[in-house]
Amino acid sequence: MARAKIKVEMTEGAIRVRQDGRTLTIHAEAPDAESGEETDFVVRLDEIEAWDAPDQDKEIDIEDLQRILDAVERELAKHGLTVDFD
């Protein structure tokens, strides 16, 4: 079965990902000023476990996670932004 395209939307304070009727809200934060990182956003991977309600029982497997991260990185790059996955 072919997977539906991943759609990424940037909102204030979060990144919203949609695929196959499911939604994932990723909270992105600015890097710590003392970290010296040259990136616009940091996403904590350990916070991405499952889809948003009502699909919270559907865990995100490693293959889907990689596809989501790739889509997020591409979308932010379109806006001249960078993201670091920690």
Side-chain angles (χ1 to χ4, degrees):
M1 179 173 93
R3 295 180 190 246
K5 182 178 177 183
I6 296 174
K7 296 180 182 176
V8 178
E9 172 189 8
M10 294 174 53
T11 65
E12 195 166 322
I15 301 166
R16 186 138 306 123
V17 178
R18 298 182 199 284
Q19 180 186 23
D20 294 331
R22 299 171 296 197
T23 301
L24 171 65
T25 303
I26 300 172
H27 300 284
E29 55 192 60
D32 185 341
E34 297 174 9
S35 72
E37 291 186 47
E38 294 185 22
T39 189
D40 296 299
F41 297 102
V42 176
V43 171
R44 306 284 176 218
L45 294 177
D46 57 352
E47 294 177 8
I48 304 173
E49 296 177 358
W51 295 94
D52 294 350
D55 300 302
Q56 68 272 16
D57 294 333
K58 296 177 184 171
E59 287 187 20
I60 298 172
D61 65 31
I62 196 73
E63 291 174 8
D64 280 339
L65 178 61
Q66 187 59 55
R67 292 184 66 218
I68 290 167
L69 299 180
D70 290 345
V72 166
E73 202 166 31
R74 281 191 308 271
E75 183 63 26
L76 267 63
K78 287 180 188 177
H79 298 281
L81 301 170
T82 58
V83 60
D84 183 37
F85 301 107
D86 186 23

